[in-house]
Amino acid sequence: MSEDAVLIPALRAALPTATIWDAAELAARDPGFDARNFGASALVRLTDAAGVAALVKFCAERGIGIVAQGGRTGLAGGAATSEGQVICDLGGLNRIEEIDPFARVAIVQAGATLGLLQEAAAAHGLDPGIDLAARGSATIGGMVSTNAGGIMAFRNGTMRHRVLGLEAVLPDGRVFCDLTRVLKTSAGYDLKHLFIGAEGTLGIVTRVALRLDPIVGASATAMVGVPDAASAQRIVRHILGQTGTRLTAAEILWQRFAALMQRALGYAPGSLPLEAPCLLVLGLGADSIEAARAALEDGLAAIWEEAGIIDGLVAASEAQAAALWRLREETEQIERAHHMAPSFDVSVPSGALDAYVARIEAGLKRVDASYAPYVYGHLADGNLHISINTDGPVSHERHAAIEDVLYAGLREAGGSFSAEHGVGLEKREAYERHVDP
């Protein structure tokens, strides 16, 4: 009898209320972003921390590898599995347990999506203070475990800055619980930070206490064409200095990425300011949509010549704003143009963005003369996403050569080879080559 034939009945006996899929059932289902996600021998979906603890203890006693999964849309292979392993599926822990509108705190189970939390918090005029394009699939547990960032990290920080407390199942099945709900606590070691960004290696996060912020009354969107990132940064500094408004997003798109998105989404030439070397997408919050639009228009007019603005557009409607954001958020268009394109996620000190992009473009040409990367990302915190214009997967040696171009000097300059997607399996070797041993 095969090991899998023994494993499934044992799991069903130990966890009678769990949903359990065997390898055949997994093979028939969509694995999500990474085809390796469903390579395991079994998937077990629980509905509470006690169930997760029972599964972890079961696997620990038998020496079985266990991989936690949430929305299965991660980009670094952190949810990839192989034969003989068991998936701990957290989709059943999907409740918003509590929202305290006075304390501005939410108690959320790990399998709840960001979008679900945003909707629940919005009913109280509140927001989690973090946003991602994958808001409909990204789960809170996965976001904590990868220390997700997103478009508002420059203002509100990453998940590490949003988490007040958490509950996690340790590798031996014990449950660590510190659901602190207050910001001020100076009581020795703050152990929750060991789990944030650890990608499940130290424990499986099951519940989280999160800070919430008041929702900005209304927001406006603009797209501005500029000659380089330095010009875009001058605009951002100017907008940040305005009173009565709140900058909610500052995204930068280099022209090659913008051109691909324009073609893929079918936008007519000339309908948006897409011809500049760099495009800046700004979000600005104010008490009313009229005030937000006026502040954007006035702010851009005041800095137009100094920043060398080439062209610009303030969205006149929600539909037009949505069209601008589609250019930034529908990044799956890269995958459609280049199947399994190698993609990367770095943090660069803000003053070095233009020099970094110029350096990697030249360096990638030395690796392969056809390489012309798509570059875009979060301007205000220096987080750039880079995709290579080739179908993948590329060879191990080629991938390492690309990494060495992209990651060289980042740590010494104060940046990071992994900004918000995590290490997973994709960056394990780079982790060893590009961080302090």
Side-chain angles (χ1 to χ4, degrees):
M1 184 178 292
S2 69
E3 291 184 10
D4 287 3
V6 174
L7 173 63
I8 299 299
L11 283 169
R12 296 192 193 284
L15 302 157
T17 63
T19 298
I20 299 174
W21 298 345
D22 61 19
E25 289 172 298
L26 286 171
R29 297 177 183 269
D30 180 6
F33 181 80
D34 193 321
R36 300 170 297 175
N37 287 346
F38 279 175
S41 294
L43 176 148
V44 182
R45 173 173 284 199
L46 296 314
T47 57
D48 56 27
V52 175
L55 173 62
V56 171
K57 186 175 182 182
F58 174 96
C59 291
E61 290 173 346
R62 293 161 177 79
I64 297 171
I66 185 168
V67 177
Q69 291 187 356
R72 288 185 277 272
T73 51
L75 300 173
T81 59
S82 56
E83 186 177 357
Q85 295 179 332
V86 171
I87 295 166
C88 176
D89 180 291
L90 294 158
L93 283 76
N94 59 5
R95 291 190 299 113
I96 310 296
E97 295 186 357
E98 180 185 352
I99 291 182
D100 183 334
F102 180 75
R104 298 178 183 170
V105 174
I107 307 297
V108 186
Q109 293 183 344
T113 65
L114 173 61
L116 182 67
L117 175 58
Q118 288 173 328
E119 290 178 13
H124 301 276
L126 299 170
D127 184 82
I130 190 166
D131 193 25
L132 312 170
R135 60 189 68 86
S137 58
T139 60
I140 297 301
M143 291 174 63
V144 170
S145 296
T146 56
N147 188 32
I151 65 174
M152 294 194 289
F154 73 95
R155 175 178 289 279
N156 299 330
T158 62
M159 285 298 281
R160 186 175 300 283
H161 305 97
R162 310 304 302 171
V163 175
L164 295 171
L166 56 75
E167 173 187 82
V169 176
L170 303 179
D172 61 1
R174 289 180 297 162
V175 177
F176 167 80
C177 188
D178 176 18
L179 283 171
T180 299
R181 303 163 64 114
V182 295
L183 181 62
K184 283 189 174 180
T185 172
S186 180
Y189 301 115
D190 196 350
L191 297 179
K192 67 175 178 284
H193 287 291
L194 291 173
F195 299 97
I196 302 170
E199 301 186 39
T201 56
L202 300 180
I204 298 175
V205 175
T206 50
R207 285 197 296 166
V208 187
L210 291 170
R211 299 171 60 185
L212 302 175
D213 292 335
I215 291 178
V216 175
S219 62
T221 302
M223 176 175 282
V224 184
V226 290
D228 50 32
S231 296
Q233 288 170 325
R234 281 193 285 274
I235 296 169
V236 168
R237 284 194 294 270
H238 178 76
I239 297 294
L240 284 171
Q242 294 183 163
T243 59
T245 61
R246 181 181 180 184
L247 185 67
T248 56
E251 300 291 293
I252 187 167
L253 323 176
W254 268 262
Q255 210 282 325
R256 193 178 295 115
F257 170 79
L260 169 70
M261 297 299 287
Q262 178 185 10
R263 293 192 303 270
L265 298 175
Y267 288 178
S271 61
L272 296 173
L274 297 174
E275 303 307 318
C278 287
L279 302 175
L280 174 63
V281 181
L282 291 169
L284 191 69
D287 290 338
S288 68
I289 186 67
E290 294 78 15
R293 285 177 185 152
L296 263 180
E297 290 169 354
D298 293 346
L300 291 173
I303 195 72
W304 194 280
E305 291 188 9
E306 179 185 339
I309 294 175
I310 297 168
D311 197 359
L313 171 69
V314 176
S317 66
E318 290 187 11
Q320 195 171 41
L324 296 179
W325 277 109
R326 285 186 71 203
L327 279 168
R328 166 60 182 88
E329 293 193 333
E330 293 197 19
T331 55
E332 67 271 14
Q333 301 300 333
I334 297 175
E335 171 72 14
R336 294 179 184 177
H338 307 282
H339 181 59
M340 296 184 70
S343 63
F344 305 86
D345 162 51
V346 302
S347 282
V348 182
S350 60
L353 290 175
D354 288 312
Y356 174 80
V357 172
R359 180 181 68 75
I360 66 167
E361 291 210 340
L364 289 170
K365 290 290 185 189
R366 290 192 290 272
V367 174
D368 188 314
S370 69
Y371 284 173
Y374 303 109
V375 185
Y376 60 99
H378 313 297
L379 174 71
D381 56 34
N383 175 194
L384 299 183
H385 302 303
I386 303 159
S387 294
I388 310 300
N389 60 321
T390 185
D391 289 355
V394 298
S395 70
H396 180 273
E397 293 75 15
R398 175 59 59 88
H399 200 275
I402 294 170
E403 287 180 332
D404 287 342
V405 169
L406 301 186
Y407 301 159
L410 275 181
R411 178 171 65 90
E412 293 78 5
S416 174
F417 78 101
S418 181
E420 63 180 2
H421 293 164
V423 175
L425 297 182
E426 297 296 334
K427 300 178 187 174
R428 284 178 65 176
E429 291 187 20
Y431 190 44
E432 295 177 358
R433 293 200 308 275
H434 293 282
V435 302
D436 189 318

